């Protein structure tokens, strides 16, 4: 059985993903969690404090999902491709990435921080793997692994946006397979 705090955080995670920060009211959180106003404000002084806790948990869960793929055994380039092809509910978008379109989240350093840190972790881990792929001769040595890592993440996040705009997973899949094909081009000898 979840504690009241867990119920509030889990509910807020779901509502943030569905509605964004602006569209998530304290009343909606209380109603869905089955928790009264007094309980909510006893544990979290403000909506922003609860949203930050939910974002931190979502970021942590995202990192763990990605860690399982990127830190598994195998060829580093294959691990990056595995990350790109990681199963997701494409039309719902990224739990973290969707919040970056919310002006109140972006304007608040505390609300933006979990998003920034999660993306930084993914980018850094991708850069390490891409650098290792270069060392093994799987990618051209002259590429900037940090820039390439940022590109891989940007394609994935942008793919979500394109898919949601089209109400189809096809643009996401096309973007992912496009970057995969670029990563698999053999380096010139």
């Amino acid at each position: 059985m979840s504690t009241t705090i867990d119920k509030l955080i889990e509910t807020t995670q779901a509502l943030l993903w569905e509605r964004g920060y602006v569209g998530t009211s304290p009343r909606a959180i209380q109603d869905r969690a089955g928790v009264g106003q007094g309980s909510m404000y006893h544990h979290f002084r403000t909506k922003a404090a609860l949203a930050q806790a939910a974002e931190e948990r979502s970021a942590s869960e995202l990192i763990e999902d990605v860690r399982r793929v990127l830190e598994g055994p195998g060829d580093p380039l294959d691990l990056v491709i595995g990350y790109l092809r990681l199963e997701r509910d494409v039309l719902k978008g990224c739990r973290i990435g969707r919040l970056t379109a919310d002006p109140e989240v972006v304007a608040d350093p505390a609300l933006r921080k979990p998003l920034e840190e999660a993306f930084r972790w993914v980018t850094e881990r991708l850069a390490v793997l891409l650098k290792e792929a270069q060392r093994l001769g799987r990618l051209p040595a002259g590429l900037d692994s940090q820039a390439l890592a940022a590109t891989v993440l940007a394609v994935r996040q942008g793919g979500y946006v394109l898919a949601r705009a089209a109400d189809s997973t096809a643009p996401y899949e096309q973007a992912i397979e496009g970057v995969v094909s670029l990563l698999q081009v053999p380096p010139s000898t």
Side-chain angles (χ1 to χ4, degrees), residues 62-76 78-88 121 125-126 129 156:
L62 175 101
I63 287 170
E64 278 310 305
D65 288 347
V66 173
R67 184 186 313 273
R68 281 191 284 280
V69 174
L70 294 183
E71 295 185 356
D75 176 83
D78 291 341
L79 295 175
V80 171
I81 292 169
Y83 160 74
L84 282 163
R85 291 179 173 155
L86 187 63
E87 194 65 35
R88 293 281 182 229
W121 183 90
R125 186 65 191 128
L126 288 169
L129 290 169
R156 184 156 180 163

Side-chain angles (χ1 to χ4, degrees), residues 3-139:
T3 66
T4 300
I5 293 172
D6 285 332
K7 283 182 194 174
L8 287 166
I9 290 172
E10 289 166 10
T11 299
T12 304
Q13 282 180 281
L15 288 169
L16 288 174
W17 196 7
E18 292 168 19
R19 302 178 183 181
Y21 182 78
V22 172
T24 299
S25 69
R27 182 98 218 117
I29 295 167
Q30 294 160 22
D31 289 348
R32 190 177 290 185
V35 172
Q37 182 177 1
S39 291
M40 181 174 135
Y41 287 113
H42 170 76
H43 296 293
F44 299 96
R45 290 185 45 200
T46 64
K47 172 186 164 183
L50 176 53
Q52 184 178 353
E55 287 178 0
E56 288 168 356
R57 185 173 293 176
S58 291
S60 177
E61 290 169 355
L62 175 101
I63 287 170
E64 278 310 305
D65 288 347
V66 173
R67 184 186 313 273
R68 281 191 284 280
V69 174
L70 294 183
E71 295 185 356
D75 176 83
L77 193 53
D78 291 341
L79 295 175
V80 171
I81 292 169
Y83 160 74
L84 282 163
R85 291 179 173 155
L86 187 63
E87 194 65 35
R88 293 281 182 229
D89 187 347
V90 173
L91 294 179
K92 281 183 79 174
C94 174
R95 292 185 285 178
I96 300 298
R98 284 196 59 191
L99 292 172
T100 64
D102 196 313
E104 289 190 35
V105 170
V106 175
D108 184 332
L111 290 174
R112 192 177 61 246
K113 184 179 178 184
L115 316 178
E116 181 184 3
E117 288 176 350
F119 285 143
R120 182 180 316 117
W121 183 90
V122 172
T123 302
E124 288 172 2
R125 186 65 191 128
L126 288 169
V128 167
L129 290 169
L130 293 165
K131 188 72 162 171
E132 179 64 12
Q134 286 176 303
R135 190 188 69 72
L136 295 172
R138 299 275 325 270
L139 289 173

